[in-house]
Amino acid sequence: MQRKIKKMLFIASFTSMFIYSCKPEEGYISDYMYYRPKVLVALQGVTTASTSIELDGGTGPASVKLLEVRNKRTGKPAPEFTQEYEVPQYLSEVTHADSTLELLFKKIALKPTPALSVNEVGGRIGLSPATANVDTGMYTLDVQVSNLKGTRILRNAIDIHLVPMESYRFQGAPFASHSNLGSEDGFINAETSVNVRRVPSGEDKIILKFVDRNGNVFNPKNGEVVHRGDRGNLAKMNPYYPEERTDTALVYKFPKKFPFPFLTSTNGFLSYYRVPGRFVDINRNANVAFEFYINGPGTYVLTVNLPFVGRKP
């Protein structure tokens, strides 16, 4: 009887060991995880994000850690991506009621933010507006991925193609006309163009000039450039600084909130200006309108060309 009991215990023990040895292992981690697309194109100074990392059948959730960012052309580390820069964070919507700099900046906070970050859960890559401080070009990332099964290091897991931000843009083409003196009628379309020169290191302001067919500059201080009635203009869209009139230009300082302008006027974001007919050789008003946006700091010199008129001396 005792021998029979020992035999049964031996069989039970063997069976238990067999079952334990055949128990499937928990989790799986692939050697071939990847990002899709392989190259993330990001506009400098603009928020951009990738998708989460593809686990290639691996067990989720995965924990992802950034190891290094390198310049792909030189192979050298690019620590500027993980350095923190002060970036405006908007606490609530800016409206026309925020008509002073004090009121405006109550709604804006400067927060230290890295140009690039990696979400620990899932590995989503985020590029912040702080990339405005990073040189454009091609970069690559190494990341570490872990789950309950183990850890893998992915070299060159994804490339970042950082492309230049457009510092300014026009919505549509500027347009011009000439019209009768003393009344709002007799409009005839005319040609115009606006040249833009940016000085990135300059004071944050727009310098708006108007020139005739010979390159002569009209004098706003003398009333040679005026607003067009109650229509929109840069002064109406920028209550934070007074419009300055010099003998060569209209000058508008602007706050560091982009794109600028961000407050609409009578006609949306369109700006209307006029050279009164008494200052030009055709004795008709020269009218111009344009929709212009700024995406970054600096001085912007806008030269409005009026090839259909000559300035009276």
Side-chain angles (χ1 to χ4, degrees):
M1 182 68 180
Q2 190 175 4
R3 181 182 294 178
K4 187 175 181 179
I5 292 173
K6 286 183 178 179
K7 185 177 181 180
M8 290 176 65
L9 289 172
F10 174 78
I11 292 172
S13 176
F14 178 80
T15 303
S16 175
M17 290 174 61
F18 178 77
I19 293 172
Y20 180 81
S21 66
C22 293
K23 183 180 179 181
E25 295 184 22
E26 292 186 12
Y28 167 72
I29 186 165
S30 172
D31 291 319
Y32 302 102
M33 293 176 285
Y34 59 93
Y35 282 96
R36 185 168 52 187
K38 172 65 175 174
V39 179
L40 177 64
V41 179
L43 192 63
Q44 189 183 38
V46 176
T47 300
T48 309
S50 75
T51 58
S52 297
I53 196 166
E54 298 282 348
L55 298 179
D56 188 39
T59 305
S63 174
V64 183
K65 178 182 178 183
L66 176 66
L67 298 180
E68 187 177 62
V69 185
R70 290 186 304 282
N71 184 304
K72 189 152 187 174
R73 182 179 61 83
T74 65
K76 294 181 179 180
E80 59 268 30
F81 272 94
T82 51
Q83 180 181 336
E84 290 189 335
Y85 307 87
E86 286 197 335
V87 173
Q89 303 285 328
Y90 302 102
L91 308 177
S92 59
E93 181 184 2
V94 176
T95 69
H96 281 277
D98 307 305
S99 57
T100 67
L101 287 174
E102 182 181 5
L103 291 171
L104 173 66
F105 287 109
K106 281 184 178 180
K107 293 190 172 181
I108 300 175
L110 292 175
K111 180 181 177 182
T113 304
L116 182 147
S117 60
V118 176
N119 194 317
E120 183 179 356
V121 179
R124 188 180 178 92
I125 294 164
L127 294 160
S128 78
T131 53
N133 301 282
V134 178
D135 289 339
T136 57
M138 189 74 78
Y139 300 86
T140 193
L141 277 66
D142 295 343
V143 297
Q144 175 184 289
V145 186
S146 303
N147 66 4
L148 57 84
K149 177 61 178 175
T151 297
R152 296 286 186 272
I153 292 177
L154 277 61
R155 303 291 183 191
N156 307 310
I158 185 171
D159 292 341
I160 306 292
H161 187 193
L162 191 62
V163 298
M165 175 183 66
E166 292 181 337
S167 56
Y168 66 87
R169 69 180 177 87
F170 286 94
Q171 182 66 34
F175 58 92
S177 65
H178 51 88
S179 58
N180 293 332
L181 282 169
S183 62
E184 291 296 312
D185 57 20
F187 287 88
I188 298 175
N189 291 340
E191 292 185 9
T192 190
S193 62
V194 181
N195 299 331
V196 181
R197 180 172 63 88
R198 181 192 179 209
V199 183
S201 59
E203 184 181 5
D204 296 333
K205 63 184 178 182
I206 297 169
I207 299 174
L208 182 60
K209 297 182 176 184
F210 293 79
V211 301
D212 72 358
R213 69 170 71 94
N214 302 310
N216 297 313
V217 181
F218 290 96
N219 183 343
K221 193 173 183 179
N222 191 43
E224 295 179 21
V225 179
V226 298
H227 302 155
R228 188 174 159 193
D230 63 351
R231 298 199 173 199
N233 55 66
L234 287 170
K236 288 185 176 181
M237 289 181 274
N238 182 31
Y240 310 106
Y241 297 95
E243 177 185 73
E244 180 187 353
R245 290 175 173 266
T246 73
D247 55 4
T248 59
L250 297 168
V251 181
Y252 303 95
K253 294 181 181 180
F254 58 83
K256 278 185 167 63
K257 182 187 183 307
F258 305 109
F260 173 85
F262 45 87
L263 294 177
T264 59
S265 182
T266 315
N267 301 86
F269 290 103
L270 277 166
S271 292
Y272 290 81
Y273 293 92
R274 168 172 287 170
V275 176
R278 66 182 183 275
F279 297 111
V280 297
D281 56 3
I282 63 173
N283 294 312
R284 289 170 60 82
N285 298 323
N287 312 298
V288 178
F290 55 83
E291 190 170 338
F292 178 71
Y293 298 89
I294 290 170
N295 294 320
T299 298
Y300 295 79
V301 182
L302 277 63
T303 302
V304 180
N305 300 295
L306 303 174
F308 56 97
V309 297
R311 179 177 180 263
K312 287 183 178 178

